[in-house]
Amino acid sequence: NPTPGTVAVIVNADGTEEVIRTSVPTENGVTVALPDGATVKIVDKSKTFADVPADNWAADAVSFSSARGLFNGTAENTFTPSAPMTRAMLMTVLARFDGEDTSGGATWYSKGMDWAVSKGVSDGSNPNGNISREQLAVMLWRYSGSPASSGTLDGFADAGSVSGYAQEAMRWAVENGIISGYGNGQLVPRGNATRAQVAQMLKNFIEK
């Protein structure tokens, strides 16, 4: 009975363990790519946050992202789902997802930012600024190799407000189900991406 927080964990020969962040729960188990000879166990690492009840729209995504150590709560029992994420936070999250050790550095985000710049995911500018929904899409798109997209934004009333640099990335994100509009048919591309929205988009990205 896997949950969104169910992950595959590699058990190394020395007894240390490593969560496989790309493991995806399915109806009856977990799908994961493994190196030859790996010793693996399946663990439910779901976390409970007082401000993300089970009936919250982002509950599964929050459980999914926190169980994989992509980003944690703002305190022991709170996630603060409506708070905006900064560019530094996302650079660090993607670096962790890529297997980079982001601990240490001149600032808490230094290693994540250095990784993002070296990979062409971000130029590293304005790390403390809030990240917009289209900027998030662009970073995920660049991380994926900037693939061409045959998708369209025609179904969204505010498609014309998508910045020129983000057009292809937003089409790709919509085509792959990574980002969706609000209930009013708008993408709100330049709106701040909240922690809950980022958790959902990361879940969609990993599962795609």
Side-chain angles (χ1 to χ4, degrees):
N1 298 309
T3 72
T6 301
V7 295
V9 178
I10 288 182
V11 182
N12 298 311
D14 61 1
T16 58
E17 299 181 354
E18 178 184 354
V19 172
I20 305 175
R21 294 187 168 103
T22 53
S23 52
V24 175
T26 63
E27 183 178 355
N28 298 309
V30 175
T31 299
V32 60
L34 298 170
D36 290 342
T39 300
V40 180
K41 65 180 182 180
I42 305 300
V43 182
D44 190 340
K45 287 186 169 289
S46 298
K47 299 180 181 179
T48 300
F49 298 102
D51 54 355
V52 187
D55 59 354
N56 184 285
W57 70 269
D60 285 355
V62 169
S63 180
F64 184 96
S65 60
S66 60
R68 285 155 182 76
L70 297 176
F71 60 109
N72 303 311
T74 52
E76 183 177 355
N77 296 312
T78 57
F79 189 81
T80 319
S82 297
M85 277 193 80
T86 65
R87 291 168 56 82
M89 288 177 185
L90 186 66
M91 286 187 278
T92 301
V93 165
L94 289 179
R96 288 173 184 163
F97 177 70
D98 201 53
E100 188 76 8
D101 181 1
T102 59
S103 59
T107 63
W108 65 266
Y109 58 81
S110 291
K111 289 192 174 180
M113 184 171 68
D114 290 345
W115 170 89
V117 173
S118 70
K119 296 293 184 180
V121 171
S122 171
D123 60 7
S125 63
N126 192 23
N128 293 312
N130 293 337
I131 190 165
S132 68
R133 287 161 57 83
E134 66 179 9
Q135 288 171 348
L136 170 57
V138 168
M139 284 195 193
L140 291 175
W141 176 68
R142 289 174 178 167
Y143 179 71
S144 298
S146 304
S149 172
S150 59
T152 177
L153 304 178
D154 292 346
F156 299 99
D158 59 348
S161 65
V162 176
S163 300
Y165 76 91
Q167 288 280 340
E168 183 105 15
M170 287 293 280
R171 288 196 298 269
W172 168 82
V174 169
E175 179 185 14
N176 286 279
I178 296 167
I179 190 170
S180 58
Y182 288 75
N184 59 3
Q186 296 193 351
L187 275 174
V188 194
R190 302 189 190 189
N192 291 335
T194 66
R195 287 169 56 83
Q197 290 174 352
V198 173
Q200 183 65 62
M201 292 180 206
L202 287 172
K203 180 175 182 290
N204 296 344
F205 174 71
I206 293 170
E207 291 178 339
K208 77 176 180 67

